[in-house]
């Protein structure tokens, strides 16, 4: 932080400390009125055995309207902005700040306590407290008013009997009676109107899945008899009288029409219809072929109408990239009174698009610079709603942090630009909205489209003062979701080939001095498979507890090694005389390893905007057979804006390893075979779209085997379970987030607490912390992380 910036912040804080006390919260409150500063709701439930007082207080508090001005630690920032920039002018900057960023005072005169009392009384009545009382008491002090509500309840009325008063004259009566066993209403439970509403919706949903297309929850009527005494109630359910006959009939599907190229005000012609497997496909197959649409249909001719199948069909078809909107409607058949004709309207999306964007890239190795990305998309490449994507990327980066290594004989002053790098790449992917395999696979009954993806890519990296690298990748994989909370991702063919090109003398000497690093760069031919299983409840709304767990298994070289063993090829043996070299494929040694990683997250939602988020990551990679080390691209690293935020990316580990000053320019060798990381973050609202957070991060990486330098000296020790907790890096901090719905800009300030690479006894560094980003030697300052999106 520059001196000018520190001075500016100091003056701003000084000005605010002078202005804030002088701007009263009641500055714009009219005479004779008061600011509605707050309220409290208490439920006196001493005579209530159900002990629902806390839940009732929350429910009754939600009925108070209007709400007081938003406050933080007793301060009302939006009201303060309104009062500070208050103006009677209808235009200008002050008016814009006053009304867009500020909030007018909520006045006591706007609070109708008598109406709120009646609403609270009705809410308690709906919960079975047929005899209750609600009182309010208003206190005004210095033009600031608070209101206290007190609700007194006694023992609630409880359900004695539940009766479905239905006759047997129509099949629908028998259908409803079959549903009685799973009723949400239970004998002995308190009377609750909300449960009755939910019970009507449950019955309606069940009937909708049995063909009753025109039925509605309002056609069911509950009545309660409270005259049975002893604070008990008999609940009776019956059908509404004089209902239309068509609402009491179950329907089957007759003809199904699919308009696969629908636009508004479209007119259909019978001559345009194509018959395909019993479906009427309109108008032709010039856009998407019918055989690729039909697997997404779960509405079939002569089947009983089902709301479940309806939603399944709409969701599945909406997942096709070729279409923007999908609508499914029904009409009663004019000739058959118990039949429905189905009409599926599919509106095509823009087929081709080209998008270009500029970026400011900040990478884990202290490189930053501008970049450009150009993306081409074809959403219907081969008339089967296939998504073809081609991405071109280019980046130029300069070193912005860490120490810099210069060429032989070059002084730092002769090269003020520092380490530079540029990167060019192209990535092509083709995604099929179906499972493509050499054998027939069953059609998944899922609302989510199963996909097959093929990808191919090339990347060229030129680290100007060190090396050039060529990277190739190719994969063939499947993704499918049997239900909303479970996702399977299986890549049976995963190929990666990374080859070092031109190298400088400095980098060659570095590889020569570090056999472990040299081996990691050499063994970069990966031929294997990846499987990931994800269990997530994050998509389920209004859940207090939410979970996410992703388990990834990555293996390489096993199949090739098995084939070569059957062919009699010698196994790698570095200990023999002479050493047996590693096996090759296409004259290139390949990697053989197994890598397992698990990412578990738990979220406790206090409210819609307040949340405790936690994460635990554990991973291990084990090289064997043809490999002595894990490939560099498959090793673990830690630190940075999405990890331990009090430390720079890749600046921790392995274990207690302390990177020499001569290598501090990039940290690219601070990787390991084992990773353990834990994070906890409390997220809370500030005002408007501003969010705050406090967090604690801990973790490290380790090696499975020791590494030695070229002189045979131990350089990095291996993992020892007994030293795990002593070698954890720990950081804490706080953050500010700008959450504008469709994206989040995040500013996190990390503060180191425990530094594992320091000598034992000196690792706890919080006492040496100094506020700022450039502390003196021996002191530890903050680390600023700027990122897009939440860390987890």
């Amino acid at each position: 932080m520059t001196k000018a910036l520190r001075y500016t912040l100091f003056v701003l804080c000084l000005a605010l400390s002078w202005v804030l006390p002088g701007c009263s919260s009641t500055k714009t409150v009219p005479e004779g009125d008061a600011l509605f500063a707050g309220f409290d709701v208490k439920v006196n439930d001493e005579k209530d055995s159900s002990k629902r007082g806390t839940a009732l207080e929350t429910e009754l508090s939600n009925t108070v309207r209007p709400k007081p001005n938003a406050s933080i630690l007793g301060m009302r920032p939006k009201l303060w902005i309104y009062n500070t920039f208050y103006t009677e002018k209808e235009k200008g900057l002050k008016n814009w700040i006053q009304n867009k960023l500020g909030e007018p005072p909520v006045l006591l005169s706007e609070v109708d306590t008598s109406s709120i009392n009646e609403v609270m009384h009705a809410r308690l009545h709906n919960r079975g407290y047929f005899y209750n009382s609600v009182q309010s008491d208003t206190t005004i002090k210095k033009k600031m008013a608070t209101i206290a509500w007190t609700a007194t309840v006694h023992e609630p009325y409880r359900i004695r009997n539940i009766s479905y008063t239905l006759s047997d004259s129509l099949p629908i009566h028998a259908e409803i009676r079959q549903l009685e066993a799973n009723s949400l209403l239970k004998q002995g439970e308190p009377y609750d109107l909300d449960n009755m509403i939910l019970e009507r919706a449950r019955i309606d949903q069940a009937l909708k899945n049995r063909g009753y297309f025109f039925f509605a929850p309002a056609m069911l009527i509950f009545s309660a008899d409270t005259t049975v005494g002893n604070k008990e109630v008999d609940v009776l359910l019956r059908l509404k009288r004089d209902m239309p006959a068509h609402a009491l009939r179950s329907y089957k599907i007759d003809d199904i029409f699919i308009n696969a190229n629908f636009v508004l005000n479209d007119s259909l012609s019978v001559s345009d219809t194509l018959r395909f497997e019993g479906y009427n496909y309109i108008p032709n197959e010039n856009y998407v072929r019918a055989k690729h649409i039909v697997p997404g249909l779960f509405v079939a001719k002569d089947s009983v109408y089902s709301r479940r199948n309806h939603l399944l069909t709409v969701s599945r078809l909406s997942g096709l990239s070729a279409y923007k909107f999908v609508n499914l409607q029904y009409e009663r058949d004019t000739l058959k009174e118990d039949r429905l004709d189905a009409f599926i309207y599919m509106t095509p999306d823009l087929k081709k698009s080209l998008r270009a964007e500029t970026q400011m890239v900040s990478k884990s190795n202290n490189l930053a610079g501008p970049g450009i990305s150009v993306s081409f998309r074809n959403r219907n490449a081969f008339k089967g709603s296939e998504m073809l994507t081609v991405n071109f990327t280019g980046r130029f980066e300069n070193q912005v942090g860490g120490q810099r290594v210069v060429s032989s004989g070059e002084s730092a002053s002769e090269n003020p630009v520092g380490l530079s790098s540029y990167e060019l790449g192209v990535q092509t992917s083709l995604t099929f909205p179906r499972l493509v395999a050499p054998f027939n696979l069953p059609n998944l009954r899922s609302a989510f489209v199963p996909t097959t993806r093929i990808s191919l890519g090339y990347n060229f990296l030129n680290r100007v003062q060190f090396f050039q690298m060529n990277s190739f990748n190719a994969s063939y994989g499947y993704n499918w979701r049997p239900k909303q909370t479970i996702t399977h991702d299986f890549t049976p063919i995963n190929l990666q080939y990374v080859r070092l090109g031109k190298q400088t003398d400095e980098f060659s000497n570095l590889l020569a001095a570090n056999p472990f690093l040299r081996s990691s760069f050499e063994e970069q031919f990966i031929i294997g498979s990846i499987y990931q299983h994800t269990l997530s409840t994050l998509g389920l709304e209004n859940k207090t507890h939410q979970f996410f767990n992703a388990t990834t298994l990555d293996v390489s070289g096993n199949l090739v090694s098995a084939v070569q063993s059957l062919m009699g090829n010698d196994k790698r043996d570095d200990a023999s005389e002479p050493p047996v070299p590693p096996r090759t494929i296409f004259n290139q040694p390949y990697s053989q390893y197994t890598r397992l990683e698990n990412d578990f997250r738990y979220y406790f939602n206090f409210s819609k905007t307040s949340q405790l988020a936690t994460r635990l990551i554990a991973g291990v990679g084990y090289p064997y057979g043809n490999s002595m080390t894990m490939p560099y691209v498959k090793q673990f690293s830690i630190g940075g804006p999405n990890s331990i935020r009090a430390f720079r990316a890749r600046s921790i580990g392995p274990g207690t390893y302390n990177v020499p000053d001569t290598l501090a320019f990039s940290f690219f060798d601070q990787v390991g075979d084992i990773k353990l990381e834990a994070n906890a973050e409390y997220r809370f609202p500030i005002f408007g779209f501003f969010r705050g957070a406090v967090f604690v991060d801990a973790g490290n990486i380790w090696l499975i085997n020791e590494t030695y330098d070229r002189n045979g000296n131990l350089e990095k020790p291996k993992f020892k379970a007994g030293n795990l907790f002593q070698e954890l890096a720990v950081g804490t901090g706080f953050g500010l987030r700008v959450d504008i719905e469709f994206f989040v800009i995040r500013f996190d300030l990390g503060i180191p607490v425990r530094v594992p690479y320091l000598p034992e006894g000196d690792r706890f560094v919080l006492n040496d912390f100094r506020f700022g980003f450039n502390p003196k030697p021996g002191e530890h300052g903050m680390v600023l992380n700027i990122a897009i999106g939440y860390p987890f």
Side-chain angles (χ1 to χ4, degrees):
M1 182 182 293
T2 64
K3 291 184 177 180
L5 181 57
R6 286 197 295 266
Y7 178 78
T8 302
L9 290 176
F10 173 79
V11 173
L12 179 61
C13 293
L14 185 64
L16 289 176
S17 66
W18 177 77
V19 172
L20 280 172
C23 293
S24 171
S25 297
T26 59
K27 176 181 177 180
T28 57
V29 174
E31 289 297 326
D33 210 335
L35 178 72
F36 181 33
F39 67 92
D40 183 52
V41 176
K42 294 292 184 183
V43 174
N44 182 3
D45 62 345
E46 295 179 356
K47 298 181 180 180
D48 178 13
S49 63
S50 68
K51 298 302 178 184
R52 296 181 291 174
T54 301
L56 291 174
E57 288 175 356
T58 301
E59 181 178 359
L60 297 182
S61 295
N62 291 333
T63 66
V64 177
R65 294 290 186 277
K67 297 296 183 185
N69 295 102
S71 64
I72 302 173
L73 301 176
M75 298 181 293
R76 299 174 176 83
K78 297 187 73 173
L79 177 59
W80 174 82
I81 293 174
Y82 182 91
N83 288 338
T84 302
F85 295 91
Y86 178 79
T87 177
E88 296 182 357
K89 296 181 180 179
E90 298 182 357
K91 296 181 180 180
L93 178 61
K94 292 186 66 175
N95 176 270
W96 185 89
I97 296 176
Q98 171 192 332
N99 293 288
K100 295 297 182 181
L101 303 180
E103 180 182 72
V106 178
L107 304 177
L108 177 63
S109 58
E110 301 172 10
V111 184
D112 188 346
T113 54
S114 60
S115 296
I116 295 174
N117 291 353
E118 290 298 322
V119 173
M120 290 184 178
H121 175 78
R123 289 292 183 92
L124 294 172
H125 188 278
N126 294 341
R127 292 287 179 265
Y129 302 99
F130 296 150
Y131 301 99
N132 64 78
S133 64
V134 178
Q135 295 179 337
S136 62
D137 181 41
T138 303
T139 302
I140 302 176
K141 186 177 181 180
K142 295 182 179 180
K143 297 186 70 174
M144 300 182 69
T146 57
I147 305 177
W149 275 277
T150 303
T152 303
V153 298
H154 299 280
E155 191 68 19
Y157 276 67
R158 298 180 180 271
I159 298 176
R160 188 183 71 167
N161 293 314
I162 307 167
S163 301
Y164 284 45
T165 55
L166 304 168
S167 65
D168 296 324
S169 58
L170 293 172
I172 192 173
H173 294 141
E175 299 274 10
I176 295 176
R177 188 168 285 109
Q178 291 176 6
L179 302 172
E180 185 176 358
N182 296 322
S183 174
L184 300 178
L185 307 180
K186 306 296 182 183
Q187 290 183 343
E189 293 292 324
Y191 171 93
D192 195 318
L193 181 61
D194 282 356
N195 283 343
M196 295 182 181
I197 295 174
L198 292 174
E199 175 67 3
R200 291 199 316 176
R202 183 190 71 87
I203 295 173
D204 173 71
Q205 184 178 19
L207 292 177
K208 285 288 197 305
N209 290 325
R210 300 186 182 193
Y212 292 89
F213 176 78
F214 293 101
F215 194 81
M219 296 176 181
L220 291 170
I221 296 179
F222 277 103
S223 59
D225 183 5
T226 60
T227 63
V228 297
N230 199 28
K231 286 197 172 182
E232 292 183 319
V233 57
D234 288 343
V235 177
L236 302 94
L237 171 69
R238 64 178 177 84
L239 288 173
K240 188 177 180 180
R241 295 185 179 90
D242 301 325
M243 287 196 303
H246 67 269
L248 305 177
R249 178 182 292 119
S250 178
Y251 289 85
K252 289 187 175 182
I253 304 298
D254 195 31
D255 292 325
I256 302 173
F257 299 87
I258 308 169
N259 190 334
N261 197 14
F262 176 76
V263 294
L264 197 61
N265 300 322
D266 199 3
S267 61
L268 301 181
S269 172
V270 177
S271 61
D272 293 333
T273 303
L274 171 71
R275 294 287 294 178
F276 181 83
E277 296 185 0
Y279 296 94
N280 301 293
Y281 197 74
I282 305 168
N284 50 51
E285 294 189 317
N286 289 338
Y287 189 62
V288 176
R289 295 188 180 96
K291 68 177 183 180
H292 297 311
I293 297 292
V294 168
L297 302 180
F298 299 93
V299 178
K301 185 177 177 64
D302 297 328
S303 66
V304 175
Y305 165 80
S306 168
R307 181 68 176 173
R308 185 183 298 112
N309 290 341
H310 167 95
L311 295 175
L312 196 61
T313 298
V314 173
S315 179
R316 185 70 166 264
L317 296 180
S318 298
L320 299 178
S321 61
Y323 293 99
K324 180 167 53 176
F325 303 114
V326 175
N327 188 19
L328 176 53
Q329 299 180 358
Y330 303 88
E331 294 181 6
R332 294 174 64 186
D333 193 282
T334 56
L335 300 178
K336 304 172 185 178
E337 62 179 11
D338 63 341
R339 295 278 176 153
L340 296 173
D341 291 332
F343 298 86
I344 302 173
Y345 302 99
M346 306 177 67
T347 303
D349 201 347
L350 182 65
K351 183 178 179 180
K352 298 178 181 179
S353 63
L354 184 66
R355 178 179 179 180
E357 61 181 23
T358 58
Q359 303 168 337
M360 181 62 187
V361 181
S362 178
K363 298 179 68 175
S364 61
N365 50 12
N366 292 319
L367 294 178
I372 185 171
S373 175
V374 179
S375 177
F376 168 78
R377 284 189 176 186
N378 186 332
R379 295 178 175 83
N380 189 27
F382 305 110
K383 294 186 178 181
S385 191
E386 300 89 357
M387 172 73 82
L388 174 64
T389 304
V390 183
N391 289 321
F392 299 91
T393 57
R395 300 185 181 95
F396 178 81
E397 299 155 353
N398 279 335
Q399 184 181 350
V400 295
Q403 292 182 332
R404 180 169 59 84
V405 172
V406 296
S407 301
S408 299
E410 178 192 5
S411 66
S413 60
E414 294 173 346
N415 187 11
V417 177
L419 178 65
S420 61
S421 168
Y422 65 87
E423 186 174 0
L424 302 173
V426 57
Q427 185 74 28
T428 302
S429 66
L430 179 62
T431 303
F432 299 87
R434 50 194 173 274
L435 299 181
V436 179
F439 46 85
N440 292 328
L441 295 173
N443 185 30
L444 297 177
R445 184 180 171 81
S446 169
F448 305 94
V449 178
T451 60
T452 302
R453 66 181 180 278
I454 302 173
S455 66
L456 183 66
Y458 167 74
N459 192 79
F460 174 76
L461 172 64
N462 187 4
R463 190 72 60 77
V464 175
Q465 293 175 304
F466 295 94
F467 61 84
Q468 295 178 353
M469 179 179 288
N470 296 279
S471 305
F472 303 87
N473 67 82
S475 67
Y476 184 94
Y478 303 100
N479 182 282
W480 70 97
R481 296 177 65 181
K483 55 183 181 179
Q484 184 177 0
T485 57
I486 295 177
T487 302
H488 300 275
D489 194 293
F490 178 47
T491 305
I493 301 176
N494 176 50
L495 304 176
Q496 290 180 262
Y497 176 56
V498 181
R499 181 177 181 179
L500 282 175
K502 181 180 178 181
Q503 305 173 34
T504 64
D505 292 339
E506 285 78 15
F507 187 70
S508 297
N509 293 335
L510 180 63
L511 293 183
N514 192 329
F516 174 81
L517 182 62
R518 182 179 67 250
S519 179
S520 296
F521 271 94
E522 287 177 351
E523 297 181 359
Q524 293 283 291
F525 190 18
I526 299 171
I527 176 170
S529 303
I530 302 175
Y531 171 72
Q532 183 178 76
H533 177 275
T534 303
L535 172 64
S536 174
T537 63
L538 301 183
L540 304 180
E541 298 180 355
N542 301 321
K543 293 289 185 179
T544 302
H545 306 278
Q546 292 180 310
F547 299 90
F548 173 91
N549 190 83
T551 303
T552 305
L553 176 64
D554 182 354
V555 296
S556 173
N558 295 335
L559 181 60
V560 176
S561 179
V563 171
Q564 291 184 338
S565 294
L566 292 175
M567 296 173 62
N569 293 4
D570 293 333
K571 293 184 179 179
R572 175 176 184 168
D573 188 353
D574 294 341
S576 66
E577 291 295 338
V580 179
R583 293 170 173 175
T584 63
I585 181 172
F586 306 120
N587 296 321
Q588 177 70 26
Y590 58 87
S591 298
Q592 190 173 4
Y593 64 84
T594 295
R595 186 180 189 270
L596 181 65
E597 183 177 16
N598 194 83
D599 182 349
F600 173 77
R601 307 174 190 182
Y602 165 68
Y603 303 87
F604 182 87
N605 298 305
F606 298 97
S607 65
K608 291 184 178 180
T609 55
S610 179
Q611 179 187 69
L612 175 65
T614 63
R615 178 177 66 176
L616 177 64
I617 300 177
V620 59
Y622 184 70
Y624 50 87
N626 210 48
S627 294
M628 299 300 293
T629 61
M630 291 285 293
Y632 172 73
V633 295
K634 294 294 183 178
Q635 290 175 317
F636 298 103
S637 63
I638 203 166
N642 296 318
S643 182
I644 304 181
R645 285 158 280 186
F647 298 84
R648 302 289 182 188
R650 297 176 179 262
S651 65
I652 307 172
T656 58
Y657 174 71
N658 189 3
V659 62
D661 292 341
T662 56
L663 302 181
F665 67 97
S666 66
F667 306 115
F668 60 79
D669 61 337
Q670 287 191 254
V671 290
D673 307 315
I674 301 172
K675 178 178 181 177
L676 182 65
E677 179 181 345
N679 314 88
E681 179 174 284
Y682 174 60
R683 302 165 182 168
F684 54 89
I686 299 179
F687 68 89
F689 45 72
F690 290 99
R691 305 285 187 269
V694 291
F695 55 83
V696 177
D697 305 316
N700 206 334
I701 55 172
W702 295 267
L703 296 175
I704 287 181
N705 301 308
E706 297 97 342
T707 65
Y708 298 85
D709 60 23
R710 57 183 168 184
N711 298 320
N713 299 318
L714 179 65
E715 185 179 38
K716 300 174 186 176
K718 68 178 181 179
F719 171 75
K720 294 183 180 180
N723 298 336
L724 188 149
F725 292 103
Q726 290 81 3
E727 296 179 358
L728 289 178
V730 181
T732 186
F734 54 93
L736 174 68
R737 288 85 191 272
V738 183
D739 190 342
I740 314 178
E741 295 186 1
F742 52 91
F743 77 98
V744 176
I745 302 176
R746 175 163 53 94
F747 302 89
D748 286 340
L749 288 172
I751 301 172
V753 175
R754 183 181 177 87
V755 180
Y757 53 76
L758 294 179
E760 286 193 58
D762 297 331
R763 294 176 182 173
F764 187 79
V765 299
L766 201 57
N767 292 333
D768 300 324
F769 172 74
R770 293 294 181 270
F771 188 84
F773 301 101
N774 295 300
K776 298 178 181 179
E779 299 176 347
H780 297 271
M782 298 183 297
V783 175
L784 174 63
N785 300 273
I786 303 176
I788 302 295
Y790 287 99
F792 55 90

